[in-house]
Amino acid sequence: MSELAFFIDYSRCIGCRACVQACEECDTHRGQSMIHLETIERRDTVQTAPQMCMHCEDPVCARVCPADAIKQTPDGVTQSSLKPRCIGCANCVMACPFGVPKYEASIDQMMKCDYCFDRTSIGKKPMCATVCPSQALTFTTREEIERTRRGRPINEWRFGNEVVRTKVFVLVPPATTQVDVGLGDLVQIRAGKKASHVRPVAKDDVAALLEDLP
Ligand code: SF4
Ligand code: SF4
């Protein structure tokens, strides 16, 4: 059987927050959720989108950390910051193109999703994927996704001239090969004026993706 991977299908998110609750209950991060439920453009749509660490192949958060506090495991999981090393400078918070790491002032440390490493390293699903009732968050094989969904799983993003590949996949309309995040979006995300990299999706695209709902 092929490797298990994490797939996000934004079109299936119903905004129930089960993923957030499940993540909060995990002891390894002190009752805080490491997955965030974002709204896209409240003026245009009620669609919500779960945002977790995408586990970049070449994580810029780790590259910009002056204290070498963010480690990547051999199988491509970018860990949260190491307490003895993190100096709370928030460089990683500013650098991440997906707006993932959060600086936690109460402990003067960055915290982020670590792919439920304690679970996934022994073949268990991450907590969020275990509870998601619409399977917007799914931990399974690529074959299973291709067999059961119409959306295409991709893990390549373009931010201006930079291409980022991630361990986590998102499901997009079949003709899409890369998610192009406009620089304008990126500036707004970093300025806190826009919650997510997720862009409003064309109505036809949503219709195409919704067709695979049971
Ligand atoms: S999504 Fe952000 S926090 Fe996660 S590995 Fe990539 S740069 Fe780091
Ligand atoms: S906040 Fe911590 S983990 Fe992030 S860049 Fe600074 S020292 Fe590194």
Side-chain angles (χ1 to χ4, degrees), residues 87-106:
I87 56 173
C89 67
N91 272 7
C92 53
V93 177
M94 297 301 290
C96 171
F98 297 96
V100 167
K102 304 287 179 220
Y103 171 68
E104 183 53 48
S106 62

Side-chain angles (χ1 to χ4, degrees), residues 133-195:
S134 61
Q135 293 185 29
L137 305 170
T138 310
F139 191 67
T140 187
T141 61
R142 189 179 176 110
E143 286 79 9
E144 179 67 7
I145 284 290
E146 286 173 349
R147 191 178 65 77
T148 57
R149 307 281 178 98
R150 286 183 186 231
R152 173 189 180 123
I154 65 163
N155 64 340
E156 193 169 297
W157 310 76
R158 175 173 289 280
F159 298 91
N161 290 328
E162 187 167 357
V163 173
V164 174
R165 288 174 61 84
T166 58
K167 183 175 176 72
V168 173
F169 290 81
V170 293
L171 286 159
V172 295
T176 310
T177 56
Q178 186 183 65
V179 179
D180 189 348
V181 183
L183 281 182
D185 287 343
L186 193 57
V187 168
Q188 286 193 34
I189 293 165
R190 287 192 170 155
K193 292 179 181 163
K194 188 177 168 79

Side-chain angles (χ1 to χ4, degrees), residues 18-201:
C19 54
V20 175
Q21 291 294 325
C23 191
E24 271 177 13
E25 286 171 22
C26 183
D27 286 341
T28 59
H29 34 82
R30 304 177 181 90
Q32 295 225 35
S33 180
M34 298 292 105
I35 187 164
H36 309 285
L37 197 69
E38 312 283 15
T39 53
I40 298 179
E41 291 282 2
R42 287 307 286 266
R43 191 185 57 183
D44 301 330
T45 174
V46 294
Q47 181 70 54
T48 46
Q51 180 66 65
M52 58 182 287
C53 175
M54 302 302 284
H55 298 282
C56 305
E57 283 184 1
D58 181 14
V60 67
C61 57
R63 271 195 276 133
V64 300
C65 177
D68 197 19
I70 304 171
K71 301 292 186 186
Q72 189 183 41
T73 65
D75 56 350
V77 171
T78 304
Q79 300 279 4
S80 192
S81 69
L82 294 168
K83 178 62 182 163
R85 285 179 173 262
C86 179
I87 56 173
C89 67
N91 272 7
C92 53
V93 177
M94 297 301 290
C96 171
F98 297 96
V100 167
K102 304 287 179 220
Y103 171 68
E104 183 53 48
S106 62
I107 55 171
D108 190 25
Q109 184 184 353
M110 178 280 275
M111 294 176 76
K112 76 165 191 69
C113 152
D114 68 357
Y115 206 70
C116 280
F117 193 62
D118 53 334
R119 296 174 59 85
T120 52
S121 59
I122 55 170
K124 288 187 175 178
K125 293 180 179 183
M127 289 294 277
C128 53
T130 307
V131 298
C132 180
S134 61
Q135 293 185 29
L137 305 170
T138 310
F139 191 67
T140 187
T141 61
R142 189 179 176 110
E143 286 79 9
E144 179 67 7
I145 284 290
E146 286 173 349
R147 191 178 65 77
T148 57
R149 307 281 178 98
R150 286 183 186 231
R152 173 189 180 123
I154 65 163
N155 64 340
E156 193 169 297
W157 310 76
R158 175 173 289 280
F159 298 91
N161 290 328
E162 187 167 357
V163 173
V164 174
R165 288 174 61 84
T166 58
K167 183 175 176 72
V168 173
F169 290 81
V170 293
L171 286 159
V172 295
T176 310
T177 56
Q178 186 183 65
V179 179
D180 189 348
V181 183
L183 281 182
D185 287 343
L186 193 57
V187 168
Q188 286 193 34
I189 293 165
R190 287 192 170 155
K193 292 179 181 163
K194 188 177 168 79
S196 165
H197 62 278
V198 182
R199 303 169 109 185
V201 185

